[in-house]
Amino acid sequence: MRKTFVEKVFSNKSGKDVRAGAIVSVEPDYVMSHDNAAAISGTFKKIGVSRIKYPERVVIILDHEVPAPKESSAINHKEIRNFVKEQNIQNFFDINHGICHQIFTEQGFAMPGKLIVGSDSHTTTYGALGALSAGIGRSEVAAIWATGELWFSVPETIKIVINGIMPKYITPKDIALYIIGKIGSDGADYKAVEFSGDTINRMTVPERMVLSNMAAEMGAKCGYTPPDHNTFDYLRGRAKSEYESLYSDEDAVFSNIFKFNVEDVSPSVAKPHTVDNLASIKDVEGTKIDQALIGTCTNGRLEDLRAAAEVMEGKKVKVRTLIIPASRTVYKEAIKSGIIETLVDSGAIILNPGCGPCLGAHQGVMAPGEVTFSTANRNFKGRMGCRDAEIYLGSPVTVALAALTGEITDPRRES
Amino acid sequence: MNGKFEGKVWKYGDNINTDVIFPGKYTYQKMEPEEMAKHALEDLDPEFVSKVSEGDILVAGKNFGMGSSREQAAIAIKYAGINVIIARSFSRIYFRNAINAGMPAIIAPDAVDAIKEGDKVIVDMENGKIITPKGEFTFPSYPATVMNILKKGGLINFIKANI
Ligand code: SF4
């Protein structure tokens, strides 16, 4: 046998016995797109096919610029709605749902053993559910709409083993930033990543989603976690179809194995302007911030908002603080459990579920010289709409605390 | 793609990300490729677009195109006049986007070390050779699937021809 997870998925899909290095043409189970579906529909029409080959495999979720901040975005959305109607696409989620990766997962499209692609680099997120999920380009989505299939090269796999009990104030985000700092933003270029170890085994699905989401920032094609009882519990009553869990063989060949002990991880911060520009919080303590952002597909889930609320309860923010629940479901649960009230009382602004300022299109764009401390996954120059602004990345705990003090602060010192 | 490219080199460093190649704020604005080209490398080198000429060659360090899946980052560079990119390595999605846009992305670390900005360089696709002022370098040829897409000028043309 001696096959990795990805080799098994591509072998199943292609009906051949393939290994890393092979190129295959296969049919993905789902193909996700978001606001870029308008541009993709334009490319699709140029191919000259009138109907999408498998409309039931198409998922479109509007989230990047919602509600439309300007006329051009509104036109974009309108074109998508028309196209969805024309092609009879059932899996369409309009602007009132939330961030694509959260909705895709909540709705049960992300399942073990499936091959899922999306025109968004953080499509890697569904690896947390045991899927092989990878980001692709827009033309590639158009090609799949037209023909149902796409070429892939079967990647080698890197195993990332994480062991140990998570110390207080350490979250999956700190672990992800730490690993990226160690292996670099090209540490997994062209490779599949498989997460394992006892720390991972103890993580919930939402926690694993943080790691799989951040796998994109290591350059990985996908960030797979072997499905277990946590995965199956999450999928009960949610999975869109039957699924088959696939696992790497014991003797599968990994191109590299990295081992980390979570007890070595301190609250981690990525400094401007790359995600692998890792700092321990001690080194950046005292950095003044102008804006705090808690949300995005990385850290906008209920557990993240709860962690922020616990820090901010009964206190007032010193800087503008933006909170974005990742989905309407998360939003509702956060209202029910009093989290939203706590955050609003502290002076935070609650934005509608969506990508918000993460990509610099609207809602919290920065001015030159300003600093945002964010729970997002990227801090590239210009990412939040201003080339001369700076973005630091951290966990919901460290960002919430900085919102209160106005500067990056070590949560271990405050307690 | 006629198999050979000859052009003048523009050289950049490591980890050039998609946000500086094609800023996120434009990604959901509808643009024709010619319009995208006006923003190529805008946040890395604002002068690039006025300096570059048709047929020039882009040379970069490791992990070129890391970050977003935005295809405009490949299309903008191609329509700005670049026919081929040589780098120490590419990010996975950028590599695919370049090929699918009909623009060869060539991994050749030795050649990158030897090439200086402003050099005249020849890339011979069929024979996997890069000819620089400092000598010749080889690169592994693409698998047939990839070569066929490049020969048709990109994925969409390839599919049109095969449907
Ligand atoms: S929240 Fe940010 S990283 Fe996530 S899908 Fe939206 S724009 Fe991309």
Side-chain angles (χ1 to χ4, degrees):
Chain A
M1 291 277 282
R2 290 166 63 83
K3 268 196 200 147
T4 61
F5 162 73
V6 287
E7 289 169 335
K8 285 190 182 175
V9 174
F10 282 122
S11 294
N12 279 0
K13 282 275 166 197
S14 65
K16 295 185 213 138
D17 183 27
V18 296
R19 302 295 157 126
I23 293 212
V24 290
S25 231
V26 294
E27 293 191 345
D29 294 291
Y30 289 109
V31 52
M32 195 279 299
S33 55
H34 44 63
D35 300 37
N36 55 24
I40 297 168
S41 68
T43 309
F44 173 77
K45 287 184 176 142
K46 279 190 206 145
I47 297 175
V49 183
S50 61
R51 308 295 304 174
I52 290 183
K53 186 152 184 204
Y54 303 115
E56 68 283 6
R57 297 182 189 170
V58 173
V59 180
I60 298 178
I61 304 162
L62 298 189
D63 64 348
H64 270 55
E65 294 185 333
V66 299
K70 51 187 183 288
E71 190 180 324
S72 60
S73 328
I75 294 171
N76 219 24
H77 292 163
K78 186 176 168 186
E79 283 181 10
I80 295 170
R81 291 188 192 104
N82 289 341
F83 183 76
V84 160
K85 230 187 249 152
E86 172 196 309
Q87 295 289 333
N88 195 19
I89 295 166
Q90 299 296 318
N91 304 320
F92 171 63
F93 300 89
D94 212 322
I95 64 165
N96 56 342
H97 286 81
I99 305 173
C100 59
H101 304 306
Q102 182 65 18
I103 300 306
F104 195 94
T105 310
E106 273 178 9
Q107 292 284 331
F109 293 107
M111 291 174 276
K114 302 286 183 195
L115 174 62
I116 300 164
V117 291
S119 51
D120 189 279
S121 49
H122 296 103
T123 301
T124 53
T125 308
Y126 323 136
L129 279 298
L132 196 181
S133 60
I136 58 172
R138 295 177 179 186
S139 296
E140 299 187 293
V141 172
I144 297 172
W145 287 359
T147 67
E149 61 175 38
L150 187 66
W151 67 279
F152 294 90
S153 60
V154 181
E156 294 179 340
T157 301
I158 294 179
K159 196 176 203 165
I160 298 185
V161 186
I162 310 167
N163 286 318
I165 305 279
M166 275 205 272
K168 199 167 178 210
Y169 302 120
I170 300 302
T171 71
K173 180 62 163 297
D174 298 289
I175 301 173
L177 291 173
Y178 177 81
I179 294 172
I180 296 164
K182 294 288 172 201
I183 73 172
S185 54
D186 60 346
D189 251 2
Y190 304 108
K191 306 269 168 63
V193 163
E194 175 165 338
F195 294 105
S196 66
D198 59 59
T199 314
I200 303 292
N201 296 343
R202 278 188 296 272
M203 281 187 185
T204 62
V205 166
E207 288 179 315
R208 291 174 186 171
M209 286 171 78
V210 177
L211 291 175
S212 296
N213 180 277
M214 295 295 289
E217 305 310 318
M218 308 168 194
K221 179 171 197 144
C222 61
Y224 159 81
T225 307
D228 62 4
H229 62 96
N230 286 332
T231 324
F232 308 138
D233 285 349
Y234 183 88
L235 287 167
R236 198 157 299 127
R238 193 191 299 262
K240 278 280 185 259
S241 71
E242 304 270 293
Y243 57 83
E244 185 196 353
S245 298
L246 295 174
Y247 303 90
S248 295
D249 292 321
E250 288 278 326
D251 52 358
V253 182
F254 294 95
S255 67
N256 215 335
I257 298 179
F258 295 107
K259 289 194 174 150
F260 297 100
N261 189 320
V262 79
E263 280 136 47
D264 298 336
V265 180
S266 49
S268 307
V269 173
K271 294 185 285 185
H273 295 285
T274 53
V275 186
D276 59 2
N277 194 5
L278 173 72
S280 168
I281 196 146
K282 285 208 288 301
D283 306 327
V284 284
E285 242 193 321
T287 305
K288 297 264 182 275
I289 67 165
D290 301 286
Q291 177 169 279
L293 165 61
I294 299 168
T296 78
C297 59
T298 315
N299 280 127
R301 281 172 280 278
L302 193 66
E303 352 339 72
D304 304 311
L305 303 190
R306 179 175 295 125
E310 279 167 9
V311 173
M312 289 160 71
E313 176 142 40
K315 306 198 173 108
K316 293 279 181 240
V317 298
K318 273 214 182 113
V319 296
R320 12 184 239 274
T321 301
L322 313 176
I323 311 269
I324 316 177
S327 71
R328 190 170 66 196
T329 309
V330 170
Y331 200 175
K332 231 175 84 180
E333 286 170 16
I335 290 173
K336 270 202 245 158
S337 54
I339 291 172
I340 294 293
E341 192 174 352
T342 303
L343 296 170
V344 171
D345 281 345
S346 77
I349 304 163
I350 315 292
L351 298 176
N352 59 292
C355 296
C358 179
L359 73 157
H362 66 151
Q363 291 184 321
V365 174
M366 289 192 283
E370 287 192 328
V371 175
T372 288
F373 193 20
S374 162
T375 66
N377 45 35
R378 258 182 209 148
N379 59 351
F380 302 155
K381 220 177 182 86
R383 172 78 185 175
M384 290 180 70
C386 173
R387 172 179 5 179
D388 302 312
E390 292 191 324
I391 305 166
Y392 288 75
L393 304 177
S395 80
V397 174
T398 52
V399 174
L401 184 56
L404 299 178
T405 60
E407 56 187 48
I408 297 178
T409 307
D410 189 340
R412 295 167 305 183
R413 177 195 303 283
E414 282 291 303
S415 61
Chain B
M1 195 187 68
N2 61 8
K4 253 191 193 165
F5 301 101
E6 182 169 1
K8 191 170 78 166
V9 165
W10 299 101
K11 190 169 178 185
Y12 298 95
D14 291 339
N15 295 318
I16 306 296
N17 69 67
T18 47
D19 277 279
V20 298
I21 300 173
F22 189 84
K25 59 188 172 205
Y26 305 129
T27 48
Y28 300 98
Q29 291 179 22
K30 244 197 165 163
M31 277 186 198
E32 289 306 314
E34 292 76 15
E35 179 71 21
M36 291 177 196
K38 292 186 189 153
H39 301 289
L41 299 185
E42 184 168 289
D43 281 350
L44 176 72
D45 178 0
E47 262 108 67
F48 173 74
V49 178
S50 53
K51 297 188 295 198
V52 67
S53 332
E54 181 59 39
D56 285 356
I57 292 173
L58 197 71
V59 175
K62 65 169 186 162
N63 203 17
F64 186 81
M66 72 166 181
S68 154
S69 63
R70 71 187 63 138
E71 199 165 280
Q72 298 98 316
I75 295 172
I77 286 182
K78 181 179 174 180
Y79 277 80
I82 298 291
N83 281 336
V84 50
I85 306 180
I86 305 168
R88 298 184 69 87
S89 65
F90 291 87
S91 90
R92 187 190 76 83
I93 304 181
Y94 195 90
F95 180 81
R96 294 184 68 97
N97 281 339
I99 303 286
N100 290 332
M103 174 172 62
I106 292 170
I107 302 164
D110 298 346
V112 170
D113 290 342
I115 298 169
K116 290 197 312 300
E117 176 144 314
D119 280 356
K120 279 263 196 274
V121 164
I122 299 170
V123 179
D124 178 345
M125 292 298 295
E126 298 293 339
N127 298 306
K129 264 196 307 205
I130 301 171
I131 301 152
T132 78
K134 282 220 183 117
E136 269 185 36
F137 299 87
T138 56
F139 59 90
S141 55
Y142 284 132
T145 315
V146 172
M147 216 47 189
N148 288 338
I149 291 171
L150 285 172
K151 279 187 180 146
K152 286 278 183 264
L155 180 68
I156 296 302
N157 289 340
F158 173 77
I159 285 178
K160 271 191 189 157
N162 285 286
I163 216 153

